[in-house]
Amino acid sequence: ISTIKSSNEKSKSPMKMEEDRPTKPKPPMATVPPEVRSEKPLLDDKHVTEGKGDLATPAAPVFMEGFDKQKTIDLLYWRNVKQSGAVFGSVLLLLFSLTQFSVVSVGAYLTLAALSASISFRIYKSVLQAVQKTDEGHPFKSYLEVEISLSQDQIGNYADKALLYANTCMKELRRLFLVQDLIDSLKFAVLMWLLTYVGALFNGLTLLILAVVSMFSMPIVYEKHQAQIDQYVGLIRTQVNSVVGKIQAKIPGAKRKEE
């Protein structure tokens, strides 16, 4: 019993010593003037209004959110195999259908297929709700409430971009046809001459199919063999530049003016 009492006294003694210690006086709190207090809510409101300033700009429609540069790159580089395969297969199926049928027939068949699927699903959900005696509403209600309209600012933005591209193309064609630079005009003539042979071998749809296949195959091939492709492209570019330089040196008036 004496040992227990001595241990209890030892355990209580540090607590008593801590309680006997004089507590240090706390530093005085700085008094805030009323002017500063009244300015703080103004700063907060300013941040809030700055955060809400972005909301004032017209938001893009939901169906336009999918058209993103990064998403297009991921699609062409097969980051998501299922998504890229679905888009690639759908586009190829559409183009092959256009090679066998007219544009009107393909459009009519696609419209009928979409209408058949939506009407069948609508009837199925209506019958299911009648049997189960539920009131879930229209099955496409969430899609019917999606905003698909374009604002005037967005239309103006797209129109400005289209106008810029059109003006650039017209200026470039004027420069080529009026031989502002002889070398560039000769390059353009050679390109058109090569396209005559390409047009004799392939039609427009075949070239479009080849372009789609190249878009979905060349990026992934270049990503895997970038070093070798860059080496060969550099050699070809060097040879072409040397040939163009020799031709440019022999033709009078073909040298570019140094800027």
Side-chain angles (χ1 to χ4, degrees), residues 26 56 94 135 239 250:
K26 294 182 180 181
L94 177 62
D135 189 10
Q239 294 294 329
K250 292 181 180 180

Side-chain angles (χ1 to χ4, degrees), residues 136-231:
E136 297 179 359
H138 200 284
F140 300 115
K141 183 178 179 181
S142 59
Y143 296 100
L144 291 173
E145 294 176 353
V146 172
E147 181 65 30
I148 61 173
S149 61
L150 291 173
S151 64
Q152 293 182 356
D153 295 336
Q154 291 170 350
I155 294 175
N157 187 16
Y158 298 146
D160 292 340
K161 290 182 180 179
L163 185 62
L164 178 62
Y165 294 148
N167 291 334
T168 304
C169 291
M170 288 190 295
K171 290 179 181 178
E172 187 67 20
L173 290 175
R174 181 186 64 180
R175 189 180 69 85
L176 293 173
F177 280 105
L178 298 182
V179 198
Q180 182 178 356
D181 192 328
L182 183 58
I183 296 299
D184 289 342
S185 297
L186 289 175
K187 290 179 182 179
F188 186 66
V190 172
L191 178 62
M192 293 297 106
W193 177 68
L194 293 175
L195 286 179
T196 58
Y197 289 96
V198 174
L201 297 175
F202 308 102
N203 56 16
L205 281 175
T206 305
L207 291 176
L208 194 57
I209 292 172
L210 292 176
V212 171
V213 173
S214 300
M215 285 172 58
F216 280 88
S217 59
M218 293 301 294
I220 192 67
V221 173
Y222 177 76
E223 189 179 26
K224 292 181 178 179
H225 307 283
Q226 183 176 0
Q228 295 86 344
I229 293 175
D230 288 342
Q231 182 180 0

Side-chain angles (χ1 to χ4, degrees), residues 50-184:
E50 288 178 357
K52 291 182 179 179
D54 299 335
L55 299 177
T57 58
V62 177
F63 74 98
M64 294 294 293
E65 293 179 357
F67 295 94
D68 189 9
K69 184 177 179 181
Q70 186 60 39
K71 291 183 179 179
T72 305
I73 293 174
D74 295 339
L75 193 69
L76 296 178
Y77 279 89
W78 295 78
R79 306 294 186 217
N80 189 348
V81 179
K82 292 183 179 179
Q83 187 176 4
S84 299
V87 174
F88 180 60
S90 301
V91 174
L92 277 185
L93 181 61
L94 177 62
L95 292 176
F96 279 121
S97 300
L98 291 174
T99 58
Q100 301 297 325
F101 305 100
S102 64
V103 178
V104 178
S105 299
V106 172
Y109 283 128
L110 289 176
T111 305
L112 285 175
L115 281 174
S116 300
S118 60
I119 292 172
S120 301
F121 184 74
R122 177 75 170 86
I123 295 173
Y124 168 74
K125 293 296 290 185
S126 299
V127 173
L128 190 63
Q129 290 177 16
V131 172
Q132 296 180 352
K133 296 180 180 181
T134 58
D135 189 10
E136 297 179 359
H138 200 284
F140 300 115
K141 183 178 179 181
S142 59
Y143 296 100
L144 291 173
E145 294 176 353
V146 172
E147 181 65 30
I148 61 173
S149 61
L150 291 173
S151 64
Q152 293 182 356
D153 295 336
Q154 291 170 350
I155 294 175
N157 187 16
Y158 298 146
D160 292 340
K161 290 182 180 179
L163 185 62
L164 178 62
Y165 294 148
N167 291 334
T168 304
C169 291
M170 288 190 295
K171 290 179 181 178
E172 187 67 20
L173 290 175
R174 181 186 64 180
R175 189 180 69 85
L176 293 173
F177 280 105
L178 298 182
V179 198
Q180 182 178 356
D181 192 328
L182 183 58
I183 296 299
D184 289 342

